[in-house]
Amino acid sequence: NAGVTQTPKFRILKIGQSMTLQCTQDMNHNYMYWYRQDPGMGLKLIYYSVGAGITDKGEVPNGYNVSRSTTEDFPLRLELAAPSQTSVYFCASSPRRTGGLEQYFGPGTRLTVT
Amino acid sequence: AQTVTQSQPEMSVQEAETVTLSCTYDTSENNYYLFWYKQPPSRQMILVIRQEAYKQQNATENRFSVNFQKAAKSFSLKISDSQLGDTAMYFCAFMKPRRDNAGNMLTFGGGTRLMVKP
């Protein structure tokens, strides 16, 4: 098992550019999450999904979009990058049987918007 | 909304000694879960310990234990026999379970940077 994988590891974007952060898990987990971690801060939930075709907003969804067409993949889309989106992005997954109590995190993507 | 506060931005401890990290939270809920996560320099988030609010007994995991004071809304982490590998950011987190258990979300504190010195 690779667990939760995220690509890319690092990315620099110019203001106004778009990109997709990829997240894949091979543990057959129903629940998946996207968090962002600003410097010196804790993680904040952007979006989450309880299964293929079902997504919902978290605490800080503005400026982002997600889709969940398969159980394995949960990409995060930034349409018009802004400096405020400079952050480290973490994807996580959780088996349904734990109700989200056991979240397995990916290694993160460090994004800089200049 | 729930809030989680970690009042110690940085702490240090000598190897083999004991250190306690503080966490307080604010909620009107009676049923919830509390967590401590470790984030080493590799950035990987690792679950250290979990506490169910309805359990009075404090959770322990090897060298890690918590002091859960529900009335005071306090949830501190004690690390015994500190090791160099314990050097990391530590985050306290709160989860209020939804009735349907769907998409239970974590609310994180700001973190405490712990340095274990040889």
Side-chain angles (χ1 to χ4, degrees):
Chain A
N1 275 357
V4 180
T5 57
Q6 293 183 236
T7 56
K9 286 189 169 54
F10 304 94
R11 183 72 187 268
I12 298 175
L13 277 184
K14 293 191 186 311
I15 294 171
Q17 286 186 322
S18 301
M19 79 162 293
T20 299
L21 281 66
Q22 302 291 347
C23 174
T24 300
Q25 53 89 13
D26 62 359
M27 298 174 281
N28 202 31
H29 289 171
N30 291 96
Y31 299 164
M32 295 188 75
Y33 308 81
W34 273 108
Y35 294 90
R36 60 176 285 174
Q37 182 181 28
D38 298 332
M41 306 287 285
L43 282 66
K44 292 188 177 179
L45 184 67
I46 305 171
Y47 269 95
Y48 67 96
S49 168
V50 299
I54 307 170
T55 63
D56 207 347
K57 296 177 181 178
E59 190 182 356
V60 289
N62 291 345
Y64 306 95
N65 279 301
V66 293
S67 59
R68 184 100 182 266
S69 56
T70 66
T71 299
E72 294 78 22
D73 301 306
F74 189 41
L76 178 72
R77 177 90 178 151
L78 283 72
E79 288 296 346
L80 291 169
S84 61
Q85 293 177 305
T86 293
S87 192
V88 180
Y89 291 83
F90 289 95
C91 180
S93 71
S94 180
R96 178 188 287 166
R97 61 176 170 77
T98 73
L101 290 178
E102 292 176 14
Q103 294 192 19
Y104 297 80
F105 286 81
T109 293
R110 183 180 295 277
L111 175 68
T112 303
V113 182
T114 61
Chain B
Q2 288 76 27
T3 58
V4 179
T5 302
Q6 294 178 248
S7 58
Q8 305 150 315
E10 291 186 5
M11 294 191 73
S12 63
V13 63
Q14 291 297 132
E15 195 176 6
E17 294 193 344
T18 295
V19 65
T20 299
L21 309 183
S22 300
C23 172
T24 58
Y25 57 95
D26 187 24
T27 184
S28 58
E29 302 293 330
N30 193 47
N31 182 31
Y32 51 87
Y33 295 84
L34 295 161
F35 305 79
W36 279 98
Y37 277 87
K38 171 184 176 181
Q39 187 181 42
S42 66
R43 287 204 317 242
Q44 188 78 40
M45 293 288 286
I46 303 163
L47 177 64
V48 175
I49 202 164
R50 182 177 82 212
Q51 174 80 41
E52 292 89 340
Y54 60 85
K55 288 188 178 178
Q56 291 188 340
Q57 187 172 2
N58 289 325
T60 62
E61 286 288 341
N62 301 315
R63 297 182 296 108
F64 299 87
S65 62
V66 298
N67 183 4
F68 173 48
Q69 301 289 328
K70 190 172 184 179
K73 295 180 184 173
S74 168
F75 183 60
S76 60
L77 175 70
K78 185 170 85 170
I79 306 174
S80 304
D81 186 25
S82 297
Q83 300 175 359
L84 297 177
D86 295 334
T87 293
M89 283 289 288
Y90 286 83
F91 292 97
C92 180
F94 174 100
M95 179 187 284
K96 170 197 139 189
R98 291 164 51 141
R99 226 172 294 150
D100 57 2
N101 260 349
N104 289 328
M105 294 176 280
L106 288 164
T107 300
F108 286 85
T112 296
R113 185 178 303 280
L114 176 67
M115 173 76 72
V116 179
K117 298 179 179 178

